[in-house]
Every structure is written in structure tokens, then in C-alpha cells.
């Protein structure tokens, strides 16, 4: 079974803090993704990566950056958290020929 | 403009009813359409559709793609309260393997 894990299920941070969300997959997938999910807006793609050290902007990259130093790990970074970044963050991974598998999500609250 | 549109956005039915959920998409560089079910956690994969007119079936759930109409339907027969969830439609356009999600259909099945 594919396993995608995220470092935290729930996280509370203060405005201006630097926030790291970690995602690890164990299936040697080339492609990894970060989404945020908000009521009424659905899932929106923030960034994705198709290889180590490679990254591509998604639909809403502003205020975020990512890091992929190892194939199995994809990190999402909020350089200076703001209240409008309060959301559910979902990581996903896939190979070229398979479907996309999601992690359990991190519910981030920025106060 | 949304590339993937789902309807209805929400639906309430009684146990035993049959429901049909709709998903339409833009034509540009279509590769595949996927359906996910999301309860109070990460989305779980249901179906991937790439060919028009071929029904995919899993128990009481089935789905079919119509490339001419740029749409797909997800059918659930003999609904149960456990079918209550958000159903997400996602389309893969072109390369890069990122998915474009619709806003989802929230289904509530009442006893």
C-alpha cells in the first residue's frame, strides 16, 4: 500500500512565524504535490515537484515556498504565516502511471 | 474561470435512493478524469477514467466518461449513510501530472 505521511495533523502558529509542513512518501514516486483545501473553494494546487530539487508553481504559490532535497520528502514552507493561510493542507504523490495518493492532511490555524 | 465544474454542490437524499453526480471540464489537453471520496480526512481514490463510454464499477458505485460532452457522472445506487461524504472530481490536463479539482459535491444520506 502506498503511504503518504504528513508531520502534523493539527498545527497552531502565530502570525509572522515561519512554518514547515513535511510530507514523506514511501513508494519512490517522482511527483509530489501540495494543495490547500478551503470550504467553497475546493482543493487548490500550491506547488508540485516532478523530481529532486525541481519545483513548479501551482495555482496559488504566493506566500509559500517548497523544498525537495530527497525524493521521498517534499516540504512546504510558509516564510511568514498570515491568518489567510489558515487552511487544511494536503500532500499527495504519484508515479507517472498511477493515480494520486493523499496524505492525511494538516489542519493549520494561524492566529 | 474554473476548469472543472461539479454539480450539484450539495445533495441530501434518503437511504436507498440512487444519486448521480456530475463533473464537466474544459477540453484543453485532457489526459484523465478521477473521482475521489473525502470523509473527515484525506481524499480516497475511487475511479480513473481515460476512455469515453467505458463504465468503471465498484460495488454500488459506477462512473463513466463522455469525451464528446466533456463530462463524467458518478452514480451511487442504494445509498447508505456511509456514503455521506464530499465527492471530488479532478482532471489531469497535459503533462506534469498535477490535478485540477472541482469544488466537490457534498452528499448527505439520511436514515
Amino acid at each position: 500500500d502506498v503511504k503518504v505521511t504528513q508531520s502534523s495533523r493539527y498545527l497552531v502558529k502565530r502570525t509572522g512565524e515561519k512554518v514547515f509542513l513535511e510530507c514523506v512518501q514511501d513508494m519512490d514516486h517522482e511527483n509530489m504535490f501540495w494543495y490547500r483545501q478551503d470550504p467553497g473553494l475546493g482543493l487548490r494546487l500550491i506547488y508540485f515537484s516532478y523530481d529532486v530539487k525541481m519545483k513548479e508553481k501551482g495555482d496559488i504559490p504566493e506566500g509559500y515556498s517548497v523544498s525537495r532535497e530527497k525524493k521521498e520528502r517534499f516540504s512546504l514552507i510558509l516564510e511568514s504565516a498570515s491568518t489567510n493561510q489558515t487552511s487544511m493542507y494536503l500532500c499527495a504523490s504519484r508515479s507517472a502511471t498511477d493515480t494520486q495518493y493523499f496524505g492525511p492532511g494538516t489542519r493549520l490555524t494561524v492566529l | 474561470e474554473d476548469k472543472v465544474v461539479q454539480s450539484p454542490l450539495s445533495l441530501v437524499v434518503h437511504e436507498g435512493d440512487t444519486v448521480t453526480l456530475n463533473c464537466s471540464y474544459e477540453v484543453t489537453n485532457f489526459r484523465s478524469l478521477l473521482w475521489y471520496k473525502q470523509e473527515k480526512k484525506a481524499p480516497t481514490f475511487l475511479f480513473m477514467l481515460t476512455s469515453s463510454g467505458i463504465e468503471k464499477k465498484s460495488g454500488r458505485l459506477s462512473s463513466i466518461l463522455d469525451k464528446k460532452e466533456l463530462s463524467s457522472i458518478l452514480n451511487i445506487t442504494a445509498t447508505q449513510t456511509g456514503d455521506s461524504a464530499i465527492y471530488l472530481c479532478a482532471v489531469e490536463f497535459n503533462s506534469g501530472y498535477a490535478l485540477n479539482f472541482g469544488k466537490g459535491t457534498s452528499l448527505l444520506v439520511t436514515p
Side-chain angles (χ1 to χ4, degrees):
Chain A
D1 269 356
V2 175
K3 197 159 187 183
V4 181
T5 57
Q6 295 183 227
S7 50
S8 306
R9 294 298 303 273
Y10 300 93
L11 208 53
V12 179
K13 295 291 181 181
R14 296 209 174 272
T15 301
E17 279 193 77
K18 190 168 187 175
V19 182
F20 292 87
L21 302 183
E22 304 283 338
C23 175
V24 178
Q25 50 96 2
D26 67 356
M27 283 303 292
D28 202 35
H29 285 167
E30 302 88 0
N31 306 288
M32 296 187 74
F33 309 85
W34 275 106
Y35 296 88
R36 65 178 281 177
Q37 185 175 28
D38 302 286
L41 297 176
L43 271 81
R44 293 178 292 166
L45 181 66
I46 305 172
Y47 268 96
F48 66 100
S49 168
Y50 52 88
D51 202 351
V52 175
K53 296 194 186 294
M54 306 301 288
K55 60 184 179 185
E56 292 282 344
K57 291 180 180 178
D59 298 321
I60 51 162
E62 296 79 18
Y64 304 95
S65 62
V66 289
S67 171
R68 187 136 182 234
E69 296 296 319
K70 293 185 178 181
K71 192 174 186 180
E72 67 271 18
R73 188 180 297 269
F74 191 35
S75 303
L76 180 70
I77 303 153
L78 287 66
E79 294 288 342
S80 178
S82 62
T83 54
N84 63 14
Q85 291 178 310
T86 292
S87 186
M88 169 70 87
Y89 289 88
L90 290 162
C91 174
S93 74
R94 69 175 293 185
S95 67
T97 55
D98 200 357
T99 186
Q100 198 165 113
Y101 296 92
F102 285 88
T106 296
R107 188 165 292 283
L108 172 67
T109 302
V110 183
L111 301 175
Chain B
E1 188 179 334
D2 290 343
K3 293 182 179 178
V4 181
V5 178
Q6 292 186 245
S7 64
L9 291 181
S10 65
L11 193 55
V12 181
V13 300
H14 293 296
E15 258 188 326
D17 287 352
T18 293
V19 298
T20 299
L21 310 183
N22 300 284
C23 178
S24 61
Y25 60 90
E26 281 184 6
V27 68
T28 312
N29 298 320
F30 173 88
R31 287 172 61 95
S32 64
L33 185 145
L34 296 89
W35 285 97
Y36 288 85
K37 177 182 181 183
Q38 185 177 25
E39 296 167 272
K40 293 186 188 298
K41 50 188 177 179
T44 54
F45 172 74
L46 294 175
F47 300 111
M48 176 189 273
L49 304 161
T50 55
S51 300
S52 207
I54 299 174
E55 185 182 53
K56 294 265 180 110
K57 202 169 168 62
S58 176
R60 295 176 294 100
L61 277 68
S62 64
S63 184
I64 196 162
L65 177 66
D66 185 338
K67 284 187 176 179
K68 191 175 174 186
E69 295 295 326
L70 307 181
S71 66
S72 172
I73 60 171
L74 175 69
N75 279 321
I76 309 174
T77 58
T79 51
Q80 302 171 357
T81 54
D83 295 326
S84 297
I86 297 173
Y87 290 84
L88 297 167
C89 172
V91 175
E92 181 185 2
F93 295 108
N94 212 351
S95 60
Y97 311 113
L99 296 178
N100 289 267
F101 282 85
K103 291 185 170 55
T105 293
S106 178
L107 173 66
L108 177 63
V109 182
T110 61

